[in-house]
Every structure is written in C-alpha cells, then in structure tokens.
Amino acid sequence: MGFLDALFGRTKPVKPDLDQLFGVPSAALTLQAAAGFTPTGLGSVCFAAVEGAAFAEVQSQVRALLDADTGRGGTPVEASRDAYGYSWLLARHTPDELPDLVNDLHAVNSELEANGFGPQLLCSLVGFRDPGGRALALVYLYKRGTFYPFAPVAGGGEKRDNALELQVKAMLGNDLRIEPDLSRWFPVWGAPGLT
C-alpha cells in the first residue's frame, strides 16, 4: 500500500482464502457449547452465473464432482436460482458430517476459481439450528475472505435477529475471521441451506 493510499484511506482488497472454510467445524463446536446451535447438514454456494459454454461446462463438472457419491447413498446436489438471478448449489449431508459438507463447499469454490470464474463467486453458507428452532447461517464472503453470522427471525418476514448475530460474532472471534464491517453483513433471505 502506497503513501497516497494510506492518506486517502484506500486499502487493497483482501484476497480470498478458501482454506478459511475449514475453520467452520471448529466454530461449530464453539457454537454448540456456547449457544446450543448445531449443524443442519445443509450448505450452499452462491455465484453469479454467466452465459457461455465454458461456464456451463464448469458448472456441470462441479455438479458431477458433488454427485459422485450418490451411488453410495449420497444426496445429489440441488441447483436453483433466486429472485435476484443468482445461482445456488445446495449440498446436503447428515448433521454429523460437517467436515464433508465443508469439503464440498470448498470443492465448488475451488473448481470455479481454478477455471477463471472466481469473480462470479459471491458467498458460501453453512446452516445451523438451535433447540428452540432458531436458524443461523455462517456466511463466507468470497471476495473478502471473511465470515459473518446471519440470523433470520422465524416467521418474522424479512427481519433479522441482530442481537444474536452480534452475540455469535463475539463467540466466534477466535475460530473464524469475522467481517469487521457490519455494512457487509448482507441478508441472504431464502437462501438454500438456511431453512
């Protein structure tokens, strides 16, 4: 960073660090011990789809990679598109297979990145639920290399439990790289893997 960048408050963008995803199983233990949240076994990756044969081929490769274990009883990955036009790939595992789920999410991100589609990656999320039925997602921002908690209020329309989000932020500060800029804690209403 140069002198003028420092003077004008500009910073270099953080490089994505997909290995941060491997911190989620450790964070899950903290979440369970401190707040009773356990993994749901659901996780998803969001990306901006682009037209063209190259992207379609990579997307097909990613789905084939994740569907490789369906012959042994695994659940096929589900693709969907949200109201904003973003594409989602949902991976399902049993709640006790969180490391396998994280590996799947890492594989999707890595495959898209390796084929030059890193700029299309937006976020990945892993779903959690507490005994009272509250939903929580740990959202990984690809372009920032950070996480943030997203806690929608059940039956509350598009309302968030901000107090819970801040509580989770404080809990996981030693487990994950938490996004310090709260304005980047974007809502992911209706995201696959959150319900």
Side-chain angles (χ1 to χ4, degrees):
M1 184 161 77
F3 174 73
L4 290 176
D5 290 334
L7 184 64
F8 291 114
R10 295 185 294 233
T11 59
K12 288 184 179 181
V14 177
K15 290 188 119 196
D17 180 5
L18 292 175
D19 289 346
Q20 292 294 315
L21 287 167
F22 295 122
V24 171
S26 165
L29 295 174
T30 302
L31 270 177
Q32 184 170 6
F37 280 92
T38 56
T40 61
L42 303 175
S44 55
V45 176
C46 180
F47 53 94
V50 293
E51 299 299 324
F55 187 77
E57 176 63 27
V58 170
Q59 195 172 3
S60 176
Q61 289 172 0
V62 166
R63 289 191 70 176
L65 174 70
L66 296 181
D67 287 344
D69 68 344
T70 56
R72 296 185 308 271
T75 306
V77 69
E78 297 173 28
S80 63
R81 188 168 282 213
D82 66 20
Y84 302 102
Y86 293 111
S87 295
W88 291 84
L89 287 177
L90 172 67
R92 294 177 183 270
H93 286 271
T94 61
D96 61 328
E97 295 177 329
L98 184 59
D100 294 332
L101 176 64
V102 169
N103 283 338
D104 284 355
L105 299 178
H106 188 276
V108 171
N109 283 283
S110 296
E111 190 70 24
L112 288 170
E113 183 181 66
N115 284 283
F117 296 105
Q120 277 67 42
L121 286 165
L122 300 175
C123 68
S124 297
L125 68 85
V126 177
F128 293 84
R129 192 163 297 280
D130 76 355
R134 293 186 299 174
L136 173 73
L138 292 180
V139 182
Y140 175 74
L141 291 171
Y142 176 80
K143 290 175 176 62
R144 304 280 295 171
T146 56
F147 289 86
Y148 68 90
F150 175 67
V153 174
E158 290 190 350
K159 292 183 183 174
R160 297 168 77 165
D161 187 342
N162 297 108
L164 176 59
E165 290 176 358
L166 292 174
Q167 183 183 13
V168 170
K169 174 188 184 246
M171 277 183 235
L172 299 182
N174 292 329
D175 293 297
L176 299 173
R177 187 184 301 159
I178 301 293
E179 175 56 49
D181 183 355
L182 299 185
S183 69
R184 294 188 182 270
W185 290 21
F186 304 110
V188 285
W189 305 116
L194 188 57
T195 56

